[in-house]
Amino acid sequence: MRLLFVHQNFPGQYRHLAPALASSPENEVIGIGEEANIRRAQGFHPRVRLLAYPQPSGASAQTHHYLHSTEAAVRRGQAVVRLALALRAQGFVPDVICAHPGWGEALFLKDAFPSARLLLYLEFFYRGSGSDMGFDAEFPASLDDQCRARMRNATQLISLDAADACISPTHWQRDQYPAAFRERIHVIHDGVQTHLVCPAPVDEFLLPDGRGTLRSGDEVITYVARNLEPYRGFHTFMRALPAVLAARPKAQVLIVGGDEVSYGRRPANGECYREIYLREVGEAIDTRRVHFLGKVPYRVFLDVLRLSCAHVYLTYPFVLSWSLLEAMACACPLIASDTAPVREVVQSGRNGLLVDFFSPAALAERLVSVLDKPQQMQPLRAQARRDIEERFDLERIALPRLICLVKELASATGNRTGVLPASEAIDLTHGE
């Protein structure tokens, strides 16, 4: 097979699938991404050829604000299709293209490669109500926000029209897409490396600034997010800490996550959410026991999970984090938000405990209870690990399903259109 993977932050969700397919000498695999990210991906796999496009410019100052993301997507799609046409001129015509449509990279790929099968990774479809937008009254959504969210879907809808098949990691994420497209969407999660992401003792974990060490058996509360922000319930978690730390004088808190904003709006005053909520609760907590680790290497992240005596995962109705499944694979005692994406994986009292996303008091009560009677969580921890092994294991479940789908699409590929004649070289500079 000839396979083309396109993701601005390559490898992104293809970090396992692309090398698995490239490991066969019969396959030819190319990865495309934005230049800065491709530089970081050098050495990703010896049989994956990497190509980069320069970071495209965003929307112009005159563009309507509903269309900022759309114009940026068109510019990105244009940068990608130039690379695609160069590949076609060299004789490379893929059987299957795997692409994430969120940033516009998939917009014009079928125009460059009409015979290729296009497999899209569908992560999230924006809605003005009923999912993330308007969920949290502390951060209300205006009608203007709703209109802008509706327009953000334009790029995906155009790409969906050209797709031959799609994958979405959870049923809830699939069901956010319009019903007309759902029969083409296969629910296949990216998968968890359960042989690597597993319970294990931690003999020594150095705290920031040399403030001592932790080890397995210490009373440790953990919280993880890519960035510390309301979308992942950071405000609720911080507001629960005063009661928890007062009730558990030996508890230590490890918080993993950056100070940027991945989702939602940025604070108006230029601060980060860590500063805002630390100031809100700062006098009510012992800050010597609350450790902000920032963004950490993966091995450190796993040690954080393995230390956990109570792991907190909170989220709006939004994309389900990899870290939730990884926490379950590590058999963490899990306290999670009772929100729709989480309920697909966590059943309260079976493999974790669910709490009201908006109630710091309920979260604090659960945390104190779990720390007070850790033996009661043992069956739930074991079940969480089993569920990940049985539903989300990378090698046995997720990767075979993904590879099978790619092969099915490749087998349906029609005759290739061949090398693009020089006379058909297209000038794509107009409108830049």
Side-chain angles (χ1 to χ4, degrees):
M1 294 181 291
R2 284 180 161 183
L3 303 161
L4 179 62
F5 290 88
V6 185
H7 193 297
Q8 57 93 14
N9 188 25
F10 185 88
Q13 285 87 357
Y14 304 121
R15 59 178 176 172
H16 301 305
L17 180 60
L21 290 165
S23 64
S24 171
E26 298 176 347
N27 296 336
E28 185 177 358
V29 179
I30 293 177
I32 289 178
E34 190 177 306
E35 194 169 42
N37 298 326
I38 287 293
R39 282 199 299 269
R40 288 192 288 268
Q42 291 302 319
F44 168 68
H45 190 279
R47 287 186 46 80
V48 177
R49 178 185 170 196
L50 300 181
L51 299 176
Y53 60 85
Q55 180 181 5
S57 57
S60 65
Q62 291 75 33
T63 302
H64 192 288
H65 64 285
Y66 291 176
L67 296 174
H68 280 188
S69 63
T70 306
E71 182 174 338
V74 169
R75 292 178 183 276
R76 189 176 294 272
Q78 198 173 48
V80 170
V81 81
R82 290 194 185 98
L83 277 181
L85 292 172
L87 284 173
R88 183 175 164 182
Q90 295 166 16
F92 180 89
V93 177
D95 298 298
V96 179
I97 303 169
C98 299
H100 191 306
W103 301 278
E105 290 165 306
L107 280 172
F108 313 119
L109 287 170
K110 285 283 275 192
D111 299 291
F113 301 118
S115 68
R117 294 296 184 262
L118 178 60
L119 175 61
L120 295 182
Y121 185 100
L122 301 185
E123 194 166 10
F124 192 68
F125 190 85
Y126 295 93
R127 294 192 175 275
S129 62
S131 56
D132 61 322
M133 185 162 289
F135 173 74
D136 191 340
E138 190 170 340
F139 302 94
S142 66
L143 179 60
D144 193 63
D145 293 328
Q146 293 175 313
C147 294
R148 186 167 61 250
R150 182 180 293 278
M151 287 305 303
R152 287 189 70 176
N153 290 319
T155 299
Q156 288 198 82
L157 289 170
I158 294 168
S159 301
L160 270 165
D161 182 60
D164 296 284
C166 309
I167 55 174
S168 198
T170 68
H171 289 273
W172 183 85
Q173 286 168 257
R174 178 200 64 186
D175 291 346
Q176 300 312 297
Y177 284 82
F181 294 106
R182 288 178 200 158
E183 65 179 19
R184 278 190 273 165
I185 305 174
H186 303 256
V187 178
I188 309 175
H189 195 270
D190 313 348
V192 178
Q193 293 177 292
T194 57
H195 66 284
L196 173 66
V197 186
C198 60
V202 179
D203 297 326
E204 184 178 68
F205 185 92
L206 183 64
L207 291 171
D209 304 323
R211 292 158 60 185
T213 59
L214 297 173
R215 57 186 54 84
S216 294
D218 291 338
E219 191 168 282
V220 178
I221 299 167
T222 56
Y223 172 93
V224 171
R226 181 187 304 175
N227 285 298
L228 307 178
E229 56 197 348
Y231 257 65
R232 298 308 190 190
F234 180 64
H235 53 332
T236 300
F237 176 72
M238 289 296 290
R239 290 164 179 167
L241 285 183
V244 176
L245 293 175
R248 306 299 300 181
K250 294 184 179 180
Q252 300 281 337
V253 183
L254 299 182
I255 300 174
V256 173
D259 286 334
E260 300 167 3
V261 176
S262 298
Y263 313 114
R265 65 187 61 167
R266 298 180 181 276
N269 56 9
E271 288 184 296
C272 65
Y273 285 111
R274 175 182 56 81
E275 294 169 329
I276 291 171
Y277 294 112
L278 187 58
R279 183 173 62 249
E280 179 181 321
V281 303
E283 294 184 1
I285 64 173
D286 182 357
T287 55
R288 294 171 300 178
R289 293 193 284 144
V290 179
H291 311 284
F292 290 93
L293 306 182
K295 295 183 178 180
V296 299
Y298 193 66
R299 59 177 179 78
V300 176
F301 161 73
L302 291 181
D303 278 348
V304 168
L305 295 181
R306 289 164 176 160
L307 280 169
S308 185
C309 298
H311 180 72
V312 176
Y313 176 77
L314 308 172
T315 186
Y316 282 16
F318 193 61
V319 174
L320 198 69
S321 305
W322 284 336
S323 69
L324 170 65
L325 303 186
E326 291 165 320
M328 295 173 71
C330 286
C332 289
L334 179 66
I335 301 97
S337 59
D338 189 7
T339 44
V342 178
R343 288 195 295 268
E344 186 170 330
V345 179
V346 181
Q347 294 81 48
S348 199
R350 178 181 176 274
N351 57 8
L353 299 172
L354 297 180
V355 296
D356 181 352
F357 177 93
F358 298 108
S359 177
L363 176 58
E365 183 180 355
R366 283 290 198 187
L367 281 167
V368 171
S369 174
V370 167
L371 295 172
D372 188 48
K373 299 177 180 178
Q375 68 279 2
Q376 294 185 0
M377 292 297 290
Q378 291 305 318
L380 281 66
R381 298 174 66 173
Q383 187 62 53
R385 169 72 185 179
R386 283 194 295 271
D387 285 347
I388 299 303
E389 290 177 321
E390 293 171 4
R391 295 177 59 189
F392 299 101
D393 182 81
L394 175 71
E395 301 295 339
R396 293 185 298 104
I397 298 167
L399 203 51
R401 290 186 65 197
L402 289 167
I403 292 173
C404 182
L405 178 57
V406 170
K407 288 182 176 179
E408 287 178 1
L409 288 169
S411 68
T413 303
N415 294 327
R416 296 195 181 103
T417 55
V419 177
L420 182 71
S423 61
E424 292 186 37
I426 301 171
D427 180 8
L428 295 173
T429 59
H430 180 70
E432 282 196 341

